[in-house]
């Protein structure tokens, strides 16, 4: 059982489990799935500012904070108890391409060759971590939700704006991965 938990779950197990989250939330409490709104709830509960965006009854959404805390706690438990000690498997063609950019360490889920405190102060690290983080936050706010909210919850509810947002997420991801990321990694 421990070996099963240490490996990535196949799509036919993980996909339905994620998919069943949507009807479970709707049936059990008429709640919608999404992660990005939890930051607004945290700010509304902790910041006593007179900002209209944070003036609402965040206590009605406290379940979302518990949900996000459960994700955080599950990540901690998994990292401590179920971590696979083997290096991350990368396809040989991809490993060869990444080696051209100086990325050769696959001991962790995120290559430390590009995401570490030292590279934060380089041009490449600044683009990957600071600019990338800003664009993710801005895009989430501009789209009215994150990929989990739109692609999982919105599409299952047949919401037209979620379809548009998900298509834009995918197009942006393809453009970034194939055109922009190689430019940034070559800096």
């Amino acid at each position: 059982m421990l070996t099963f938990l240490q490996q990535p779950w196949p799509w036919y197990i993980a996909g339905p489990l994620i998919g069943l989250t949507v009807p479970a939330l709707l049936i059990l409490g008429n709640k919608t799935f999404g992660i990005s709104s939890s930051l607004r709830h945290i700010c509304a509960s902790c910041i006593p500012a007179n900002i209209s965006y944070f003036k609402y009854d965040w206590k009605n959404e406290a379940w979302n904070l518990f949900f996000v805390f459960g994700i955080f706690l599950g990540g901690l438990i998994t990292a401590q108890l179920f971590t696979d000690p083997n290096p991350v498997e990368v396809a040989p063609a991809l490993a060869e391409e990444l080696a051209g950019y100086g990325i050769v360490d696959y001991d962790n889920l995120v290559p430390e060759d590009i995401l570490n405190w030292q590279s934060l102060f380089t041009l490449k690290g600044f683009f990957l971590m600071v600019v990338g983080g800003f664009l993710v936050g801005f895009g989430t706010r501009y789209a009215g939700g994150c990929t989990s909210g739109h692609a999982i919850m919105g599409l299952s509810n047949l919401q037209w704006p979620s379809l548009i947002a998900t298509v834009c997420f995918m197009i942006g991801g393809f453009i970034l991965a194939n055109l922009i990321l190689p430019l940034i990694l070559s800096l």
Side-chain angles (χ1 to χ4, degrees):
M1 182 69 170
L2 184 62
T3 305
F4 174 74
L5 293 175
Q6 287 180 329
Q7 302 301 318
W9 290 8
W11 65 269
Y12 51 84
I13 294 176
L17 286 176
I18 293 170
L20 289 173
T21 303
V22 172
L25 285 171
L26 287 172
I27 291 169
L28 296 175
N30 198 25
K31 305 293 184 187
T32 58
F33 179 72
I35 301 300
S36 60
S37 59
S38 60
L39 179 60
R40 180 181 183 209
H41 304 323
I42 291 170
C43 291
S45 67
C46 296
I47 300 174
N50 195 14
I51 301 171
S52 61
Y53 183 69
F54 296 131
K55 288 179 139 183
Y56 67 97
D57 189 11
W58 61 268
K59 293 176 185 171
N60 286 339
E61 303 299 327
W63 72 272
N64 191 287
L65 299 176
F66 285 106
F67 187 84
V68 170
F69 180 72
I71 292 172
F72 173 75
L73 189 61
L76 284 179
I77 292 169
T78 301
Q80 295 300 315
L81 300 178
F82 302 117
T83 302
D84 185 2
N86 301 317
V88 175
E89 293 181 28
V90 178
L94 179 60
E96 184 179 328
E97 182 181 347
L98 291 175
Y101 298 118
I103 302 168
V104 294
D105 181 13
Y106 304 113
D107 290 336
N108 298 305
L109 287 176
V110 178
E112 287 190 24
D113 296 325
I114 54 171
L115 295 176
N116 59 51
W117 286 108
Q118 291 78 24
S119 68
L120 175 63
F121 300 105
T122 65
L123 187 60
K124 178 183 358 179
F126 180 79
F127 272 108
L128 288 173
M129 291 183 260
V130 177
V131 175
F134 172 79
L135 289 174
V136 166
F138 176 80
T140 299
R141 183 70 194 119
Y142 185 74
C146 60
T147 53
S148 62
H150 281 298
I152 297 171
M153 188 72 197
L155 288 181
S156 66
N157 286 328
L158 303 176
Q159 294 178 0
W160 180 249
S162 291
L163 177 63
I164 293 170
T166 302
V167 168
C168 290
F169 293 151
M170 295 301 293
I171 291 170
F174 290 136
I175 290 170
L176 178 78
N178 294 297
L179 301 175
I180 300 171
L181 186 61
L183 293 174
I184 294 172
L185 290 176
S186 63
L187 292 176

